[in-house]
Amino acid sequence: MTTPTASDALVFFGATGDLAYKQIFPSLQAMVKRGLLNVPVIGVAKAEWTLDQLKDRARKSVTEHGGLDEAAFAKLCDLLGYVDGDYNDPATFAELRNQLGDAKRPLHYLAVPPSLFGVVADGLQASGSAENARIVVEKPFGHDLATAEQLNAMLHTVFPEESIFRIDHYLGKEPVENLVYFRFANSFLEPIWNRDHIDSIQITMAESFGVADRGSFYEETGTIRDVVQNHMLQITALMAMEPPSHEATDALRDLKAMVLRSMRTLKPEDVVRGQYNGYRQVDGVDPKSTVETYVAVRLHIDSWRWAGVPILIRAGKCLPHTVAEVAVKLRRPPRVVFNESKPGPANIVRFRLQPQVEIAIHARAKMEGQGMRGEDVELKVIEDATDDMPPYERLLSDAMSGDPTLFADQRSVEAAWRVVDPILDNATPVHFYEQGSWGPKEADHLVKDVGGWHVPTAPS
Ligand code: BG6
């Protein structure tokens, strides 16, 4: 396999926007600090700003998000350029082309709403800035299956699939990489990682906060589009995929797409939507809104490995704490050997993905003393490892070096939309829940046969 050529310029559209402020500038400073960025960095926006104003904004951004490193920041400022102009104006792209100088493999990061992807892609092409270039796009990637297909077709008129990097920041998280590593760097999981030994799987993404100032965004989105179609289904795919025979990008992405393609399309009876009390009073939210801030779904993967194993996803805002976790419940031992008053819970292999890395196995062990009585213990494999490379830094560095492993490709994005398409919007009723609860009780019937919901403990 040949090593891809690294990009020799980084352009980011939406330079004066929120994403640039919260994620991009801090990542750029961190990349400079690690010695991973030493090429021109050009911001593009329509704000009637000067380069100095952009530098001021960058300084505020890094100060607020992660901390200012004077030396790295000064170096970043030396690399920074700025183009101010309308995305519909060819002069904007002519100036960008000019500032790109002799860069031969620029990377264009579209930190702008998807409605602008087309116009930016066309402007890049017309000015000659798309040639040999890479493009990074943010979620939401489409609003449903049809719009995702249209978006892909439109981007493909300018960029080949291998040059398109679709960000799903969950894939850049250290604990998510660890899940994949742990599964395939050890031999003891694989023999039991199937329908013969696994009873059910639960994936929880709980957030203790509401939609804050993103009311109008959330009205267009809802939890299914916001985190299930992307983060949750990508995690499910990593958890369920076949073992790759090697580390190559294609292997991993092919295997993930295979899982998503064998996932059964969801039906309304597999889904319970919820909305926290108080959501309708948020700025930008319709007082009669039926948009979900919580969803629980019961999935099935129609493969030899997973046939008959229920996979439950539960995600929502204003839940008791902020935590994301995968819990893989094993089948119980075939016989009760020890005459205990109450048999212990089934073994669970648990991967905590948020806020920190944690891998643990719940088991039973004998209590000290007379008699064969046991207690629940947890074998901790990893706990509290800190992630010193935030997702955006990891993903931007990978995109610059042309490594698409941690990005979602067209097949998996479209397959994931196919799974959720029939349950979007008002396909099912919305049930109200109290803030700080685990969501509407109507969701409980989805887990009746698997022993109830897995409730992640509060992060310490
Ligand atoms: C984003 C969603 O993709 O992920 C947000 O739009 C959500 O609604 C966020 O809060 C969660 O990401 P993280 O990294 O904070 O778990």
Side-chain angles (χ1 to χ4, degrees):
M1 209 181 68
T2 53
T3 314
T5 330
S7 286
D8 49 6
L10 193 161
V11 179
F12 59 115
F13 290 82
T16 57
D18 213 39
L19 186 68
Y21 191 76
K22 289 187 180 149
Q23 301 287 359
I24 301 178
F25 288 121
S27 300
L28 295 175
Q29 182 189 261
M31 285 162 73
V32 169
K33 196 172 165 190
R34 276 185 214 267
L36 296 173
L37 185 65
N38 195 14
V39 297
V41 176
I42 307 167
V44 187
K46 181 180 174 347
E48 294 181 16
W49 280 17
T50 60
L51 175 57
D52 281 340
Q53 281 174 292
L54 189 71
K55 286 181 182 170
D56 282 348
R57 170 111 170 146
R59 176 178 282 273
K60 285 196 191 103
S61 146
V62 297
T63 308
E64 200 178 315
H65 298 281
L68 174 72
D69 178 308
E70 286 290 359
F73 185 73
K75 181 130 193 273
L76 173 60
C77 285
D78 289 344
L79 300 173
L80 201 59
Y82 179 55
V83 177
D84 194 282
D86 195 299
Y87 298 150
N88 282 298
D89 184 354
T92 307
F93 290 90
E95 175 54 19
L96 172 62
R97 187 51 267 177
N98 178 36
Q99 289 202 21
L100 279 171
D102 53 11
K104 294 187 178 50
R105 203 155 190 8
L107 176 131
H108 302 291
Y109 185 160
L110 272 52
V112 294
S115 54
L116 293 174
F117 288 179
V119 70
V120 173
D122 289 347
L124 289 171
Q125 188 173 41
S127 64
S129 315
E131 212 174 303
N132 231 351
R134 301 188 169 107
I135 191 165
V136 175
V137 290
E138 272 291 330
K139 77 179 244 294
F141 196 82
H143 194 65
D144 50 23
L145 177 58
T147 51
E149 285 171 345
Q150 282 159 17
L151 205 51
N152 277 324
M154 184 270 294
L155 286 179
H156 286 155
T157 61
V158 182
F159 298 96
E161 177 63 19
E162 63 270 20
S163 301
I164 304 175
F165 293 72
R166 298 174 191 78
I167 288 201
D168 182 317
H169 81 281
Y170 250 69
L171 297 179
K173 283 181 187 275
E174 175 70 22
V176 175
E177 292 216 281
N178 221 314
L179 185 157
V180 178
Y181 187 89
F182 190 74
R183 262 199 74 192
F184 299 123
N186 297 302
S187 59
F188 57 85
L189 281 186
E190 182 51 22
I192 58 164
W193 218 244
N194 55 52
R195 64 191 305 274
D196 297 331
H197 299 276
I198 291 181
D199 172 83
S200 57
I201 297 169
Q202 295 202 27
I203 306 178
T204 315
M205 179 182 172
E207 292 178 313
S208 60
F209 46 87
V211 300
D213 56 359
R214 296 162 80 219
S216 38
F217 161 78
Y218 220 77
E219 278 292 276
E220 294 297 311
T221 314
T223 310
I224 301 173
R225 288 188 174 94
D226 190 33
V227 301
V228 175
Q229 183 273 340
N230 35 69
H231 309 327
M232 294 295 92
L233 291 189
Q234 289 285 332
I235 300 292
T236 310
L238 290 173
M239 215 274 323
M241 73 188 188
E242 295 300 311
S245 53
H246 52 112
E247 204 191 335
T249 297
D250 302 353
L252 218 83
R253 302 214 298 178
D254 289 353
L255 294 166
K256 260 195 331 178
M258 230 155 84
V259 176
L260 289 160
R261 283 178 169 176
S262 6
M263 221 173 253
R264 229 179 266 171
T265 301
L266 286 163
K267 297 199 192 80
E269 57 267 33
D270 305 319
V271 180
V272 174
R273 293 189 312 127
Q275 185 186 91
Y276 65 79
N277 288 329
Y279 171 72
R280 289 176 171 184
Q281 281 79 57
V282 174
D283 253 8
V285 171
D286 178 350
K288 292 192 178 128
S289 173
T290 53
V291 167
E292 78 280 357
T293 59
Y294 163 104
V295 73
V297 302
R298 184 173 165 120
L299 285 170
H300 288 281
I301 298 173
D302 286 324
S303 66
W304 273 53
R305 186 187 283 268
W306 296 114
V309 178
I311 301 176
L312 285 307
I313 294 177
R314 180 159 76 142
K317 305 252 184 224
C318 286
L319 300 186
H321 32 260
T322 300
V323 64
E325 190 159 286
V326 178
V328 179
K329 186 174 169 188
L330 303 187
R331 289 192 189 285
R332 288 179 180 280
R335 283 186 55 79
V336 177
V337 176
F338 306 110
N339 190 17
E340 295 182 272
S341 56
K342 149 174 150 337
N347 297 140
I348 290 179
V349 184
R350 190 169 65 78
F351 299 89
R352 182 162 283 204
L353 309 176
Q354 179 88 342
Q356 78 279 49
V357 184
E358 212 174 282
I359 301 179
I361 298 170
H362 295 230
R364 289 285 285 173
K366 185 186 166 299
M367 270 195 301
E368 205 185 313
Q370 209 178 12
M372 296 296 261
R373 271 190 303 279
E375 60 184 339
D376 300 335
V377 294
E378 190 170 68
L379 313 170
K380 287 260 170 70
V381 180
I382 311 181
E383 192 182 8
D384 280 339
T386 45
D387 186 1
D388 74 336
M389 191 184 249
Y392 273 86
E393 185 191 341
R394 189 182 309 241
L395 293 172
L396 256 180
S397 311
D398 281 5
M400 284 294 283
S401 59
D403 180 355
T405 314
L406 299 179
F407 294 83
D409 67 4
Q410 176 188 8
R411 295 166 306 172
S412 67
V413 167
E414 290 180 5
W417 276 120
R418 196 254 313 142
V419 172
V420 299
D421 219 43
I423 57 147
L424 293 172
D425 303 319
N426 289 314
T428 57
V430 73
H431 304 279
F432 299 99
Y433 63 96
E434 288 304 324
Q435 295 189 23
S437 73
W438 279 103
K441 59 179 178 352
E442 284 80 358
D444 291 354
H445 79 269
L446 294 175
V447 283
K448 237 184 184 157
D449 59 343
V450 299
W453 287 111
H454 168 75
V455 179
T457 55
S460 42

